[in-house]
């Protein structure tokens, strides 16, 4: 499936997570971590986005001039399983084609720190993706950040809502930095280039 994106339209990069300081370092919140770093690179501060239940930063990424891309970085403030509503409201407000939306999220079926970029597909049981797909279809980009499977008999719901372990935290900044690079590459150079560079 090839979906062309409108070169003049902005991109909407959505970091998926749960609002609140108690969730900040959870595995499920790695999308927020990437969104925070991307916002820092753009040099903006998150603000409320009109009527949408989300925080956004607007800016440009890429080299100055015609090669740069207008981007809106968003963190839905609705809790993970209701992410679709705020994302859809932002899509309408900023007039973003679905093909210009990037969801950054945790992925159980990939080893910790490994990235996989793709366009479209199923939600693999991820409630944030499930909510997004329900309201706007599945033809948006995903940057999947591996968190690995829970150890032993730990329930998935418990695992994703636990903080990264101390061993994982030693490499977390590096992996979040790399995931942010991957988002920028996807927006500026396209999916094929980003996949060949970052799909490990």
């Amino acid at each position: 499936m090839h979906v062309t994106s409108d070169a003049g339209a902005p991109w909407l990069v959505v970091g998926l997570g749960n609002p609140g300081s108690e969730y900040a370092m959870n595995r499920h919140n790695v999308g927020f971590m990437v969104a925070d770093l991307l916002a820092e690179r753009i040099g903006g501060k998150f603000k409320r986005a009109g009527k949408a239940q989300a925080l956004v930063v607007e800016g440009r990424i890429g080299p100055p001039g015609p090669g740069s891309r207008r981007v809106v970085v968003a963190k839905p403030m609705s809790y993970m399983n209701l992410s679709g509503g705020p994302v859809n409201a932002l899509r309408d407000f900023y007039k973003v084609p679905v093909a210009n939306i990037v969801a950054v999220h945790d992925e159980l079926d990939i080893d910790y720190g490994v990235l996989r970029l793709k366009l479209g597909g199923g939600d693999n049981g991820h409630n944030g993706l499930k909510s997004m797909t329900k309201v706007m279809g599945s033809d948006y980009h995903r940057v999947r950040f591996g968190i690995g499977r829970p150890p032993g008999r730990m329930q998935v719901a418990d695992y994703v809502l636990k903080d990264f372990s101390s061993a994982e935290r030693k490499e977390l900044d590096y992996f979040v930095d790399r995931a942010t690079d991957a988002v920028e590459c996807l927006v500026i150079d396209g999916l094929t280039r980003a996949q060949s560079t970052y799909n490990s």
Side-chain angles (χ1 to χ4, degrees), residues 29-83:
N29 267 45
V30 75
F32 273 19
M33 296 173 199
V34 173
D36 285 339
L37 182 56
L38 190 56
E40 197 179 300
R41 289 184 182 184
I42 289 170
K45 291 231 182 310
F46 280 102
K47 64 180 195 302
R48 285 271 166 193
K51 292 180 179 173
Q53 202 178 351
L55 298 176
V56 298
V57 168
E58 297 175 54
R60 299 190 81 86
I61 59 176
S68 74
R69 299 280 182 272
R70 191 154 72 92
V71 67
V72 179
V73 183
K75 297 194 293 185
M77 292 284 112
S78 58
Y79 290 101
M80 182 71 87
N81 60 348
L82 299 171
S83 301

Side-chain angles (χ1 to χ4, degrees), residues 100-168:
N100 278 27
I101 295 173
V102 183
V104 186
H105 64 92
D106 57 307
E107 179 61 64
L108 287 159
D109 286 338
I110 304 174
D111 289 341
Y112 174 58
V114 173
L115 296 177
R116 292 275 191 279
L117 284 73
K118 69 173 189 171
L119 174 64
D123 57 56
N124 205 20
H126 192 288
N127 288 331
L129 297 181
K130 196 176 289 183
S131 179
M132 285 178 62
T133 296
K134 186 176 177 184
V135 295
M136 61 191 186
S138 62
D139 295 339
Y140 53 90
H141 290 85
R142 297 98 188 277
V143 174
R144 304 155 74 204
F145 186 111
I147 60 169
R149 281 265 158 200
R153 296 177 176 226
M154 186 187 288
Q155 294 295 312
V156 165
D158 295 332
Y159 178 70
V160 299
L161 292 175
K162 277 202 174 359
D163 288 359
F164 284 102
S165 69
S166 54
E168 288 170 332

